[in-house]
Amino acid sequence: MFRASGGTMRAPIGIRVRRHRIQMKQTQAGLARAVGISPSYLNLIENNKRDIGGRLLMDIAAQLEIDIEELSGDPEQRTLHALQEVLNDPLLHGLELEQADLHDLVARFPEVARALTRLHAVYGDANAELEANANRLSSDPMLSEMLHEVLSRITAMRSSAEILSQVQDLGAEDRERFSSSITREARSLSTTVRSLASYFDLASSRRRSISPLREVEDAVINSNNHYPELEALADELRAEVLTKGAFAEIALAEALRQRFGISCRRWHGGTSPQPDGQNSTRRARFDEDDRVLWLRSSSTAATRQFQMARLYAQQAGADVIAQVCARFELTTDEARNLALGALASYAAGAMVMPYADFLAEAEERRYDIDLLSHTYTASFEQVAHRLVTLRRKGAEGVPFGFLRADPAGRLTKRFPLPGLALPGSGHGCLLWPIYTAAGAPGVVRQVSEFTNGARFLMVAKSVKKRVSAWQEQPLMFSVMLACDLLHADRTVYSRGLDLGDTAAQVPVGPSCLLCVREGCSHRQESVSAIMQSQPI
């Protein structure tokens, strides 16, 4: 098992600095003098014994004539966190690896490190498949019936075969009857087994979203979730919609009708007929044959506007979206379809909240998400998503990490930051505000300190995907944004907080499995052992 000594997980930036310095044929003393530090301090940096960032990182990048992103260590930091998740798997308990070993692996053999994390993801998917099949074998009535039929036919065949082999004076007619029975049962058994195999294949194909979702999520994270081509497309499409009036549902509906012959209609849900006879939880559905976009009436105005913008982007910008998707190098059609949908949503968000205006408004309003939601007729989650995409060079917003959890606490979306360790799946740390937001009336904020020493301002809120309606439960999620404490004072959520008060900072981790805080009273990793040894 891997436990970082001192809790620190630094990306191996120093090794890159050393490699580029040697390639530039510079001495340690020369580079140190050029950036205004001592050679001994540079030596500590190159041996990855000192953190590096801010102005010093920019000065070193300038002296080495490379882009700062090459030294930022963001990809390495993500790989380190992924490896930490791998090595804290209970299957690998007992393995003792030092932090320096991980740094060397990521710095010297990055492809090997990525291969290990990919294999672990496949292993996790295989375990999920086995568990799902085990549960189905014990609870699925269709499988129980099929298995019972298989056993019955095998029993009948065995009985006939035993009679044929053990009864010596069996007449020819009886032998023919028992042989025919075996043949008949064998044919029926073959049909049943084929049906059983097809049933498993069908169910398995429906569950394969585990791997494609993770693959798309990783591709988005690796691309820094910013796409200049989609920003340009969104500006162009927004201008088209504005020719029909103010950017809102009416103008979007008219633009869809005039350019693509698509009409927008409301579906009332509840007891009324569904437009497709399928899943009643869908917020929108496009009927391509009838050229109708069905919008659920119980969806909020922000959701309806977003779905209309999304369809407009899909229709008008299909080629641009496909080109961006191709760069992801996804391995399955399902993953590509998921990515195309995610990129269409990105374009829709950029249409609703155009980059330059939205960034200026966000800075002026100090990133007040609820106020920005009101300004742009967007949901809290839509604004949070958009804030994460403000990564344009020379016009960056506050760098935020993003997390969404369903009512059961499972993480369904994530976008990490350096130092913000987020697990790839499952549940996060119970001390994060995302888990207290569900019962809170508004935004919950918290200054959190991770085990690697990184400190973040976290803000979370419980959000509704649709309004409450008769016979419909509201669809709820919790959304959380996190920014490095260095940027906290740029946001409205730092107001009234003493950011330097270490006593007020909440010690957190990425998840119980990955956390080194063994004495945490909220720890759930060994809950079964605790339940057995202590009274409730």
Side-chain angles (χ1 to χ4, degrees):
M1 182 172 66
F2 172 77
R3 293 297 187 196
S5 57
T8 302
M9 281 285 289
R10 300 190 189 96
I13 301 173
I15 296 176
R16 279 195 172 187
V17 171
R18 177 180 173 81
R19 184 169 64 245
H20 283 289
R21 176 180 62 77
I22 292 174
Q23 289 175 353
M24 293 285 293
K25 297 181 179 179
Q26 283 196 32
T27 64
Q28 263 191 353
L31 179 57
R33 185 168 54 253
V35 297
I37 60 176
S38 67
S40 59
Y41 189 75
L42 179 58
N43 183 62
L44 291 173
I45 290 174
E46 290 189 351
N47 284 283
N48 211 55
K49 294 180 179 179
R50 288 293 185 274
D51 284 329
I52 178 175
R55 173 56 60 185
L56 179 57
L57 181 64
M58 291 188 286
D59 289 345
I60 290 178
Q63 288 298 320
L64 297 177
E65 298 179 4
I66 57 176
D67 194 288
I68 192 171
E69 291 182 357
E70 292 191 46
L71 290 182
S72 66
D74 288 2
E76 289 85 357
Q77 190 71 60
R78 289 194 291 268
T79 304
L80 280 171
H81 289 150
L83 279 177
Q84 185 182 9
E85 186 173 350
V86 171
L87 295 171
N88 278 282
D89 191 300
L91 183 67
L92 300 179
H93 280 191
L95 293 179
E96 297 297 334
L97 290 174
E98 297 295 330
Q99 181 178 322
D101 297 332
L102 286 190
H103 287 153
D104 287 344
L105 176 63
V106 172
R108 302 179 191 279
F109 308 104
E111 291 300 328
V112 174
R114 283 192 284 271
L116 288 173
T117 59
R118 188 172 299 178
L119 286 172
H120 184 261
V122 173
Y123 160 77
D125 291 344
N127 271 350
E129 185 84 5
L130 286 172
E131 185 177 354
N133 285 334
N135 290 335
R136 292 181 63 232
L137 284 171
S138 62
S139 61
D140 192 322
M142 179 68 75
L143 280 177
S144 297
E145 183 178 341
M146 286 183 174
L147 290 173
H148 177 73
E149 184 177 345
V150 168
L151 291 174
S152 297
R153 295 194 183 283
I154 290 175
T155 300
M157 292 167 62
R158 180 180 177 181
S159 298
S160 297
E162 287 178 348
I163 292 172
L164 286 174
S165 64
Q166 295 176 8
V167 180
Q168 301 298 326
D169 57 348
L170 199 64
E173 184 178 343
D174 288 332
R175 284 187 175 276
E176 176 62 28
R177 179 164 56 85
F178 283 116
S179 296
S180 298
S181 175
I182 292 174
T183 302
R184 184 172 58 256
E185 293 292 346
R187 288 173 178 168
S188 298
L189 177 62
S190 177
T191 302
T192 302
V193 170
R194 279 198 298 269
S195 299
L196 185 62
S198 298
Y199 188 61
F200 265 104
D201 288 342
L202 177 62
S204 177
S205 66
R206 288 172 178 167
R207 283 195 307 276
R208 271 176 210 148
S209 60
I210 302 171
S211 292
L213 277 172
R214 180 69 180 268
E215 189 178 9
V216 172
E217 188 177 65
D218 289 343
V220 169
I221 292 171
N222 290 333
S223 65
N224 209 26
N225 198 24
H226 179 74
Y227 312 98
E229 305 97 318
L230 297 184
E231 296 288 350
L233 171 68
D235 288 342
E236 177 185 332
L237 299 184
R238 181 181 173 89
E240 291 179 8
V241 174
L242 288 174
T243 62
K244 316 301 178 188
F247 193 90
E249 287 186 68
I250 295 176
L252 280 163
E254 184 61 20
L256 284 167
R257 186 189 65 80
Q258 286 192 10
R259 183 168 178 183
F260 302 110
I262 296 173
S263 61
C264 299
R265 299 182 190 174
R266 300 282 185 90
W267 166 54
H268 297 293
T271 57
S272 65
Q274 299 178 39
D276 57 355
Q278 297 179 10
N279 190 348
S280 63
T281 63
R282 298 174 69 174
R283 285 163 284 155
R285 175 186 175 271
F286 176 49
D287 187 331
E288 196 158 0
D289 293 332
D290 294 335
R291 309 298 288 172
V292 175
L293 174 63
W294 289 99
L295 297 163
R296 192 184 187 93
S297 291
S298 60
S299 295
T300 63
T303 296
R304 294 194 301 270
Q305 175 182 264
F306 185 87
Q307 292 295 335
M308 294 164 74
R310 187 175 188 269
L311 180 59
Y312 197 85
Q314 286 176 317
Q315 296 289 312
D319 291 342
V320 178
I321 293 172
Q323 289 170 8
V324 176
C325 183
R327 296 204 300 266
F328 285 175
E329 298 181 352
L330 303 171
T331 59
T332 66
D333 289 338
E334 186 172 0
R336 280 185 282 272
N337 289 334
L338 288 170
L340 289 171
L343 293 172
S345 294
Y346 181 104
M351 287 176 66
V352 174
M353 295 163 275
Y355 196 103
D357 292 345
F358 181 74
L359 176 59
E361 188 81 17
E363 289 284 348
E364 182 180 351
R365 303 299 182 186
R366 296 187 63 197
Y367 294 87
D368 187 327
I369 302 174
D370 285 307
L371 193 54
L372 291 169
S373 299
H374 176 74
T375 302
Y376 288 93
T377 315
S379 70
F380 187 94
E381 182 178 352
Q382 289 166 10
V383 172
H385 266 292
R386 187 58 172 145
L387 289 174
V388 174
T389 68
L390 300 180
R391 305 296 177 93
R392 180 181 292 172
K393 285 189 176 181
E396 298 92 347
V398 169
F400 284 106
F402 175 91
L403 204 62
R404 190 183 76 180
D406 66 14
R410 292 179 298 115
L411 308 182
T412 56
K413 283 185 181 180
R414 68 186 177 107
F415 187 84
L417 289 173
L420 178 62
L422 302 180
S425 59
H427 295 73
C429 175
L430 295 179
L431 294 172
W432 291 347
I434 195 170
Y435 292 120
T436 57
V443 173
V444 178
R445 60 181 181 171
Q446 174 181 300
V447 176
S448 304
E449 181 182 13
F450 277 78
T451 55
N452 59 7
R455 296 178 300 160
F456 290 87
L457 173 64
M458 294 180 166
V459 295
K461 186 178 182 180
S462 179
V463 298
K464 288 184 180 181
K465 288 289 188 179
R466 60 172 180 254
V467 299
S468 300
W470 176 245
Q471 293 184 330
E472 283 188 315
Q473 291 286 339
L475 188 59
M476 305 292 294
F477 288 91
S478 293
V479 172
M480 185 175 81
L481 284 179
C483 70
D484 192 292
L485 209 59
L486 293 173
H487 303 288
D489 59 356
R490 294 172 60 185
T491 75
V492 69
Y493 304 107
S494 67
R495 187 176 297 162
L497 292 178
D498 183 356
L499 301 179
D501 183 6
T502 56
Q505 296 167 8
V506 179
V508 301
S511 69
C512 287
L513 183 63
L514 305 180
C515 188
V516 300
R517 302 187 195 275
E518 297 287 356
C520 177
S521 60
H522 290 75
R523 196 171 189 85
Q524 298 292 306
E525 181 183 357
S526 303
V527 68
S528 58
I530 295 172
M531 294 283 283
Q532 292 172 5
S533 62
Q534 297 182 6
I536 297 177

